[in-house]
């Protein structure tokens, strides 16, 4: 990491081949930002002159090989300096397969380098220190150093990745404080052998890359979900104790975990950094113990209740295997109990991601409807508006859009007002109980710059109990491009949220039109908002005063607020918001709401999002 000041312990007794610094070189700094701070001719832990070693040739760097990969190996000092703020390990980059093995004592000659993972696409990543162009001499063998056990020997700052707001933490003068900042805590052990006892999976295994987010089995101070995850409950609670367990050196020995599963015993590895996360590259994994996580099943709506749900089905296309359709259909029928209205996000066009100009999605929705019927569900109908080609973001060529599925066997009807196209915007007409839309289904303010390269909201007018219900299905702009939590820019800049703020203002404005026409209008805003329940985006959608909407995720206890798991953080991205008339209690009847955890916590997920459903009593829509 290009700011770290500490020495490479006594392993860093490898000296520069020619001294070019203004103080004695008593040890090798691990990286260019692991800067040596010199005062009065000696290494000093204070904030003084920064003298980078990147590009410096070093010799006689000695240690024992702790782990080997296809293009290099890690070494660690056998004579540590006793300073917890200094790492005792470093990576030696050989380019080709090294000839050493774990347990070899080596002496290394080479050049200190800073490697930033991700190349041109990883500019927000930290760097890792390595020795390049090495000449390696095996001098014997040795037992491996005992690993530092996280959560036992050392405990990470739990909810502080970096205190303060310095901008680029790699710049000179930025303090290095492992006791306060988790990013420094991890950096102080980069390249060292670490261990976790009874590590708990807080995200599902990404089976494609062999990565599982974990936390130590001890001394974790976080908002824990009832199912074993850690909840991202505010920007001030990033759950900084998380690591990514990587199986690249022990393929086939770890297994695929769901949230809450435990790697029983001791999991040992080497601490590395890649793709904006600190990773424990496992060399000796614990035994994966199944915690028995089950997919949730929501309650069935009663005869006097209308059930409305939202579900991001993750780039569903006709080219997807039949198994994906049948599994999604099973979730809709069994786990969601066949809701009356279902707003789907990420429905692709008939040719999927093939960029051939196709925009219609009839084949996609028809295939899902048939799968639902085959799973024992009702005969759904679908409504949507095709977008223009390549204008709504998402996977290139896929032309994702929102689609309403609805069933008409339980008293719900769609108020069809045709004429909408990709270039037309629906509007509100009438007043009171005569309030209506000019187009249904329709899209909202399609020419507004808020929707550039993003999905336009889909609004539909439904009839239930002889009252109109206006449902607005959304898929706001993604978080792509935001600074990572464990990146070099602190505090992270969330640049993508500006567009979501604008999108929320447009949707909120349309809701205000409906409520101005009919203060008792039944309005449901739902979908993949791509922002948290504590975010400004959600604040804008909620609004204030008598026209305020109720964001249903906010009504849940904090440990239950999540619809998505990202890098081990359980978090809300999907929402259902209700207008006042749908929230009020009538005749002791009230809505019931459920985030149905069927995907995000599971390694064999059918989508990366969990669906959610609200059940509304008939009386409420009067």
């Amino acid at each position: 990491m290009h700011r770290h000041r500490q020495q490479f312990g006594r392993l860093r007794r490898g000296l520069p081949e020619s001294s070019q610094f203004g103080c004695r070189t008593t040890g090798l700094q691990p990286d260019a930002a692991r800067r040596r701070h010199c005062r009065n001719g000696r290494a000093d832990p204070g904030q003084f002159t920064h003298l980078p070693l990147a590009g410096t040739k070093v010799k006689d760097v000695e240690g024992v090989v702790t782990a080997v990969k296809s293009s290099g190996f890690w070494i660690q000092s056998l004579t540590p300096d006793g300073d917890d703020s200094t790492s005792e390990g470093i990576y030696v980059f050989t380019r080709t397969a090294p000839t050493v093995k774990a347990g070899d004592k080596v002496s290394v000659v080479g050049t200190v380098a800073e490697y930033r993972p991700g190349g041109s696409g990883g500019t927000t990543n930290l760097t890792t220190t390595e020795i390049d162009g090495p000449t390696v001499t095996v001098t014997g063998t040795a037992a491996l150093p005992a690993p530092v056990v996280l959560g036992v020997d050392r405990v990470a700052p739990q909810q502080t990745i970096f205190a303060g707001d310095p901008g680029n933490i790699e710049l000179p003068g930025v303090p290095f404080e492992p006791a306060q900042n988790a990013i420094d805590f991890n950096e102080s052990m980069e390249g060292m052998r670490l261990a976790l006892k009874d590590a708990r999976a807080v995200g599902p295994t990404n089976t494609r890359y062999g990565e599982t987010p974990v936390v130590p089995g001890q001394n974790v101070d976080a908002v824990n979900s009832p199912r074993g995850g850690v909840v991202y409950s505010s920007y001030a609670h990033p759950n900084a104790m998380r690591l990514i367990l990587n199986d690249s050196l022990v393929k086939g020995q770890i297994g695929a975990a769901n949230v809450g599963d435990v790697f029983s015993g001791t999991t040992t590895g080497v601490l590395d950094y890649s793709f904006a996360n600190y990773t424990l590259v496992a060399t000796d994994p614990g035994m994966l113990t199944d915690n028995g996580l089950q997919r949730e099943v929501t309650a069935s709506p009663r005869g006097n209740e209308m059930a409305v749900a939202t579900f991001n089905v993750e780039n569903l296309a006709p080219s997807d295997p039949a198994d994906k359709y049948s599994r999604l259909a099973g979730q809709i029928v069994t786990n969601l109990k066949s809701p009356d209205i279902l707003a789907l996000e990420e429905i692709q066009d008939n040719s999927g991601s093939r960029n051939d100009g196709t925009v219609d999605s009839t084949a996609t929705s028809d295939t899902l409807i048939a799968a639902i019927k085959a799973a024992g569900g009702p005969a759904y109908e679908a409504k949507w508006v095709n977008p223009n080609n390549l204008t709504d973001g998402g996977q290139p060529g896929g032309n994702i859009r929102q689609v309403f599925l609805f069933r008409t066997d339980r008293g719900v009807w769609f108020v069809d007002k045709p004429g909408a196209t990709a270039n037309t915007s629906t509007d509100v007409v009438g007043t009171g109980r005569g309030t209506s839309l000019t187009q249904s289904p329709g899209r909202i303010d399609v020419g507004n710059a808020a929707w550039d390269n993003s999905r336009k909201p889909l609004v539909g007018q439904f009839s239930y109990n002889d009252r109109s219900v206006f449902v607005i299905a959304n898929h706001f702009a993604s978080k792509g491009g935001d600074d990572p939590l464990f990146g070099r820019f602190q505090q992270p800049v969330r640049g993508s949220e500006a567009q979501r703020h604008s999108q929320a203002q447009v949707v909120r404005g349309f809701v205000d039109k409906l409520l101005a026409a009919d203060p008792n209008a039944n309005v449901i805003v739902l979908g993949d908002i791509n922002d948290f329940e504590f975010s400004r985006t959600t604040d804008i959608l909620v609004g204030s005063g008598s026209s305020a909407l109720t964001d249903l995720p906010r009504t849940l206890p904090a440990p239950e607020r999540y619809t998505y798991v990202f890098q081990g953080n359980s978090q809300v991205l999907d929402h259902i918001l209700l207008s006042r008339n749908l929230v009020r209690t009538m005749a002791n009847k009230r809505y019931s709401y459920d985030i149905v955890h069927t995907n995000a916590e599971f390694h064999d997920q059918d989508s990366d999002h969990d669906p959610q459903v609200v059940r509304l009593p008939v009386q409420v829509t009067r």
Side-chain angles (χ1 to χ4, degrees):
M1 168 178 154
H2 189 69
R3 55 176 290 273
H4 201 278
R5 71 172 183 271
Q6 71 264 30
Q7 302 173 40
F8 174 41
R10 295 192 181 178
L11 173 58
R12 292 177 170 76
R13 290 200 181 279
L15 300 181
E17 290 188 337
S18 60
S19 179
Q20 52 183 308
F21 306 112
C23 63
R24 291 198 303 272
T25 51
T26 57
L28 170 63
Q29 285 289 46
D31 49 16
R34 293 177 182 176
R35 311 268 187 178
R36 175 166 312 286
H37 300 262
C38 297
R39 183 183 187 185
N40 299 326
R42 63 182 177 84
D44 189 276
Q47 302 300 306
F48 300 105
T49 306
H50 295 260
L51 298 173
L53 288 185
T56 303
K57 292 184 178 180
V58 292
K59 61 182 180 179
D60 302 325
V61 181
E62 297 179 343
V64 61
V65 176
T66 57
V68 180
K69 58 189 292 189
S70 62
S71 59
F73 57 92
W74 287 273
I75 57 177
Q76 186 164 330
S77 174
L78 292 170
T79 55
D81 62 5
D83 183 353
D84 281 348
S85 69
T86 67
S87 174
E88 304 295 335
I90 198 167
Y91 182 67
V92 180
F93 177 55
T94 58
R95 292 188 182 274
T96 58
T99 57
V100 298
K101 61 184 182 299
D104 285 346
K105 288 178 63 178
V106 295
S107 179
V108 179
V109 176
T111 302
V112 180
E114 285 301 314
Y115 172 68
R116 195 180 302 282
S120 62
T123 57
T124 60
N125 287 336
L126 302 170
T127 61
T128 56
T129 308
E130 59 189 37
I131 299 176
D132 286 1
T135 299
V136 181
T137 303
V138 177
T139 61
T141 60
L144 302 188
V148 175
V149 181
L150 297 180
V152 178
D153 298 332
R154 294 184 65 182
V155 178
Q158 298 287 281
Q159 299 299 342
T160 303
I161 291 178
F162 195 90
D165 191 12
N168 184 352
I169 64 173
E170 295 180 352
L171 295 176
V174 177
F176 180 79
E177 299 174 307
Q180 181 175 2
N181 301 325
I183 208 165
D184 295 339
F185 175 86
N186 289 332
E187 170 62 17
S188 72
M189 297 178 289
E190 180 191 300
M192 289 178 57
R193 273 169 52 84
L194 303 183
L196 299 168
K197 287 189 175 181
D198 298 326
R200 170 165 51 106
V202 292
T205 298
N206 183 322
T207 54
R208 180 178 179 183
Y209 298 107
E211 296 176 338
T212 308
V214 295
V215 296
Q218 306 78 30
N219 293 312
V220 172
D221 181 12
V223 176
N224 290 289
S225 77
R227 293 162 63 84
V230 289
V231 178
Y232 188 55
S233 58
S234 75
Y235 297 122
H237 288 82
N239 300 315
M241 76 298 292
R242 293 170 295 115
L243 293 174
I244 305 298
L245 182 63
N246 181 292
D247 74 351
S248 59
L249 301 185
V250 290
K251 285 294 185 185
Q253 298 182 39
I254 288 184
N258 297 326
V259 167
D261 290 351
V262 173
F263 293 92
S264 299
T266 301
T267 296
T268 304
V270 176
L271 186 65
D272 196 14
Y273 177 93
S274 62
F275 296 100
N277 280 288
Y278 281 96
T279 63
L280 184 64
V281 183
T283 56
D284 187 13
M287 179 178 294
L288 181 60
T289 302
D290 187 349
N291 194 42
L293 192 71
Q294 299 294 314
R295 287 177 164 84
E296 290 185 339
V297 176
T298 197
S300 297
R302 298 176 181 176
N304 65 342
E305 290 179 325
M306 177 180 67
V308 181
T310 180
F311 194 176
N312 182 320
V313 291
E314 195 179 7
N315 288 318
L316 187 64
S319 56
D320 284 327
D323 181 61
K324 177 170 183 176
Y325 279 94
S326 62
R327 286 171 60 104
L328 287 172
Q331 287 196 39
I332 292 168
V333 174
T334 301
N335 303 88
L336 288 179
K337 297 301 182 184
S338 302
D340 298 292
I341 301 171
L342 176 57
L344 300 173
E345 298 87 49
E346 294 198 17
I347 294 288
Q348 291 196 350
D349 64 37
N350 295 340
S351 65
S353 60
R354 189 167 68 249
N355 185 11
D356 59 3
T358 301
V359 294
D360 185 56
S361 61
T362 300
T364 312
S365 57
D366 281 357
T367 304
L368 181 58
I369 288 170
I372 293 170
K373 186 70 173 175
Y380 278 99
E381 297 180 31
K383 294 289 182 181
W384 71 93
V385 177
N386 289 327
N388 286 319
N389 190 39
L390 303 178
T391 61
D392 282 20
Q395 190 175 26
N399 292 314
I400 55 174
R401 82 290 310 275
Q402 300 86 271
V403 170
F404 290 124
L405 298 189
F406 60 97
R407 53 188 296 185
T408 59
D409 59 327
R410 296 188 69 250
V412 173
W413 300 95
F414 189 80
V415 179
D416 204 343
K417 295 193 173 184
T421 70
N423 301 315
T424 61
S425 301
T426 191
D427 208 347
V428 178
V429 292
T431 59
R433 294 191 64 167
T435 300
S436 186
L437 302 176
T438 58
Q439 297 170 343
S440 174
R443 306 211 297 175
I444 297 174
D445 199 4
V446 297
N448 194 300
W451 310 116
D452 287 353
N453 198 38
S454 184
R455 283 68 54 189
K456 287 67 176 172
L458 179 73
V459 58
Q461 182 176 345
F462 293 84
S463 177
Y464 181 60
N465 193 34
D466 293 326
R467 282 294 307 271
S468 290
V469 179
F470 301 95
V471 184
I472 304 173
N474 302 275
H475 186 187
F476 282 8
S478 79
K479 291 182 174 293
D482 287 0
D483 289 342
L485 294 180
F486 276 98
R488 64 173 168 143
F489 298 110
Q490 299 292 332
Q491 297 296 314
V493 174
R494 300 183 296 273
S496 70
E497 66 184 7
Q499 184 174 11
R500 289 190 298 279
H501 293 170
S502 296
Q503 293 175 339
Q505 288 166 352
V506 175
V507 173
R508 179 67 237 190
F510 193 84
V511 171
D512 287 339
K513 282 187 177 182
L514 287 168
L515 295 177
D518 180 7
N520 292 319
N522 301 302
V523 182
I524 304 174
V525 176
L526 78 177
D528 180 359
I529 302 302
N530 260 322
D531 225 334
F532 313 117
E533 82 280 10
F534 52 80
S535 69
R536 175 63 181 152
T537 303
T538 305
D539 288 343
I540 294 169
L541 285 174
V542 167
S544 61
S546 61
S547 65
L549 304 179
T550 296
D551 181 52
L552 297 188
R554 290 181 173 182
T555 68
L556 297 176
E560 298 178 18
R561 297 180 188 176
Y562 63 97
T563 69
Y564 191 85
V565 180
F566 182 67
Q567 297 177 348
N569 268 335
S570 297
Q571 56 196 244
V572 168
L573 292 183
D574 310 86
H575 298 249
I576 298 178
L577 301 95
L578 303 179
S579 63
R580 183 180 61 176
N581 200 56
L582 294 175
V583 174
R584 62 181 179 156
T585 299
M586 297 185 62
N588 295 319
K589 302 289 185 180
R590 196 171 186 268
Y591 71 84
S592 58
Y593 170 65
D594 192 8
I595 298 173
V596 188
H597 299 299
T598 56
N599 292 301
E601 299 168 308
F602 296 88
H603 69 84
D604 59 341
Q605 55 193 217
D606 305 314
S607 167
D608 48 356
H609 291 251
D610 287 333
Q612 55 189 282
V613 61
V614 62
R615 292 174 290 272
L616 299 160
V618 169
Q619 291 94 330
V620 171
T621 61
R622 290 179 178 174

